[in-house]
Amino acid sequence: MSLDLVKKLVILAKSNIMQSNNIDALEAIRIKFLGKKGYLNQHIKNINDTPSDIKPKLGAAINQAKKDIYTLFIEQKNILQSKNIKNTLITDTLDVTLPGRLSDIGTHHPITSTIKRMKIFFNTLGFSIIHSPEIEDDYFNFDSLNISKYHPSRDEHDTFWFDEKRLLRTHTSGVQIRAMTNKTPPIRIISFGRVYRKDYDQNHTPMFHQMEGLMVDSHVNFSYLKKILYDFLYNFFEKDIILRFRPSYFPFTEPSAEIDVMKQETGNWLELLGCGMVHPKILHHVDIDTKKFSGFAFGIGIERLTMLQYNIDDIRVFFKNDLQFLDQFKQYKDI
Ligand code: DAH
């Protein structure tokens, strides 16, 4: 290998590059001259055979040759690329009258749709929506609702505590106290939100949704409560359902009741919601005159309603973000 040969290789590479008229051919030339097994690298391998006085000069010349050839290659590549773009612009036709490609349109999550329907029903009856924090203190979540210091629901096993006072609310019922503290009767409110309990199985997830309702007025009674809730449930399910109103116990209502629905397939009763007349102790506590006013309250599990409506038997599917599951709800008309 001599300096002369290096010069000749550069000249040859240059003329090859200039004559190439497409990117593939150009790339083949690059490999032929600059590739691992290309001419110049082959010569570098043989450099040991050259006399030591010209070795450094020859090494430098080969490196310079590689640089020069590479620069030429890049220049030619840019030229060919812009030629390609120009050609495509000339030859390609764009039919602007073609229909567009449809993108997949999402739909509301079934829980969101249930919440919307509940809102519409209760708004129509004059209930307005209020919000309440998900991080509560033990006063609003337990004490103010007449839940004793030793009630099992306060246990570490059931409740997510941040410290001795603050927790993730276990139900939406605390909103009743906030509403009665901030407003004077007549009061008609509903509130939706996430609640948290340490539970996980087919019927329980650590986070789920509830709706709380509260009405306080001068003529509010138990039969009015039952009527409103039955109307709501018949309207919600849009089909014949069999309901049962049965006595129950909640520390913040007296009397208290629960409503169950009969599962048609099995004949079993399934609990839907808890309700009752606001306990007089609680009304006194928030300075509402029990001689003039009475109130009722109810708490509904939103997942439970949605599961019954669509015959879903595992609550966990709501929170898996599985598109195959969610896509099914496209068929239902949204509101
Ligand atoms: N907070 C109760 C629960 O999570 C449900 C409930 C029962 C709410 C009775 C009420 C009520 O407002 O009056 O199980």
Side-chain angles (χ1 to χ4, degrees):
M1 178 83 173
S2 64
L3 286 171
D4 210 31
L5 184 57
V6 176
K7 269 188 201 154
K8 280 186 183 150
L9 277 176
V10 174
I11 293 167
L12 181 66
K14 190 173 178 177
S15 83
N16 277 199
I17 288 175
M18 292 312 192
Q19 278 164 29
S20 68
N21 53 9
N22 69 65
I23 301 233
D24 289 344
L26 182 66
E27 178 62 13
I29 295 165
R30 186 189 68 78
I31 293 169
K32 191 162 82 179
F33 286 89
L34 302 178
K36 251 193 195 159
K37 294 183 179 160
Y39 294 149
L40 287 152
N41 282 328
Q42 285 304 324
H43 288 308
I44 289 207
K45 274 188 200 150
N46 300 334
I47 206 166
N48 281 338
D49 304 339
T50 34
S52 55
D53 54 334
I54 57 165
K55 215 193 263 182
K57 266 195 183 167
L58 186 60
I62 293 177
N63 283 337
Q64 188 58 45
K66 280 164 91 177
K67 270 191 203 153
D68 292 348
I69 295 173
Y70 188 69
T71 312
L72 286 171
F73 163 78
I74 293 291
E75 280 170 12
Q76 183 70 358
K77 192 173 175 182
N78 289 340
I79 293 171
L80 290 176
Q81 270 173 344
S82 55
K83 261 194 199 159
N84 279 353
I85 294 175
K86 272 188 201 144
N87 284 343
T88 325
L89 286 177
I90 293 165
T91 52
D92 260 22
T93 46
L94 175 67
D95 184 352
V96 287
T97 63
L98 277 177
R101 282 190 204 116
L102 282 184
S103 54
D104 211 10
I105 296 172
T107 182
H108 278 127
H109 191 280
I111 297 297
T112 308
S113 303
T114 299
I115 291 176
K116 280 174 103 183
R117 296 187 57 209
M118 296 170 98
K119 275 182 187 167
I120 290 176
F121 183 88
F122 285 101
N123 284 167
T124 313
L125 294 188
F127 285 78
S128 51
I129 298 167
I130 63 168
H131 300 282
S132 190
E134 282 173 36
I135 297 177
E136 269 293 13
D137 59 29
D138 55 353
Y139 172 75
F140 282 110
N141 200 78
F142 297 122
D143 301 337
S144 63
L145 289 163
N146 202 26
I147 298 175
S148 90
K149 280 270 178 250
Y150 307 101
H151 195 278
S153 66
R154 295 198 189 219
D155 207 3
E156 282 273 353
H157 283 299
D158 295 307
T159 303
F160 293 99
W161 289 93
F162 290 103
D163 51 39
E164 277 181 8
K165 289 204 76 57
R166 290 175 317 145
L167 60 138
L168 285 173
R169 65 178 174 188
T170 59
H171 56 178
T172 43
S173 296
V175 80
Q176 295 180 31
I177 309 299
R178 290 182 188 274
M180 290 189 287
T181 314
N182 298 331
K183 296 174 191 284
T184 49
I187 299 171
R188 277 184 199 209
I189 57 100
I190 50 171
S191 187
F192 297 87
R194 299 190 184 103
V195 299
Y196 302 84
R197 291 180 199 171
K198 289 186 182 171
D199 256 335
Y200 189 71
D201 62 33
Q202 195 176 340
N203 290 310
H204 300 92
T205 43
M207 183 284 294
F208 59 102
H209 297 79
Q210 284 189 336
M211 185 193 104
E212 194 76 19
L214 171 74
M215 176 164 176
V216 182
D217 209 333
S218 51
H219 53 271
V220 166
N221 59 37
F222 207 44
S223 59
Y224 193 38
L225 165 67
K226 182 178 171 189
K227 162 89 175 121
I228 284 190
L229 292 175
Y230 268 49
D231 278 355
F232 165 68
L233 293 170
Y234 286 133
N235 175 285
F236 183 85
F237 287 110
E238 292 174 324
K239 59 184 175 204
D240 280 343
I241 45 165
I242 301 171
L243 296 174
R244 174 169 82 172
F245 194 80
R246 84 184 141 78
S248 184
Y249 171 78
F250 297 102
F252 38 97
T253 44
E254 180 59 34
S256 303
E258 278 177 88
I259 297 182
D260 302 328
V261 63
M262 188 190 274
K263 283 276 271 182
Q264 268 158 357
E265 307 78 46
T266 55
N268 292 340
W269 292 103
L270 209 86
E271 177 197 322
L272 272 184
L273 60 89
C275 61
M277 299 301 294
V278 180
H279 201 297
K281 238 173 139 175
I282 290 179
L283 292 175
H284 285 144
H285 188 72
V286 290
D287 282 338
I288 289 182
D289 185 349
T290 48
K291 289 200 191 80
K292 284 195 198 149
F293 298 108
S294 55
F296 64 65
F298 49 91
I300 307 182
I302 296 174
E303 279 76 6
R304 186 53 75 80
L305 279 190
T306 316
M307 285 167 79
L308 276 165
Q309 193 193 4
Y310 298 115
N311 249 323
I312 295 168
D313 56 13
D314 190 331
I315 187 174
R316 294 169 291 199
V317 291
F318 287 125
F319 308 115
K320 284 195 173 148
N321 275 343
D322 174 355
L323 280 182
Q324 262 189 356
F325 168 74
L326 295 171
D327 271 351
Q328 300 175 83
F329 297 93
K330 284 184 182 165
Q331 62 182 296
Y332 299 102
K333 104 179 156 332
D334 202 12
I335 38 161

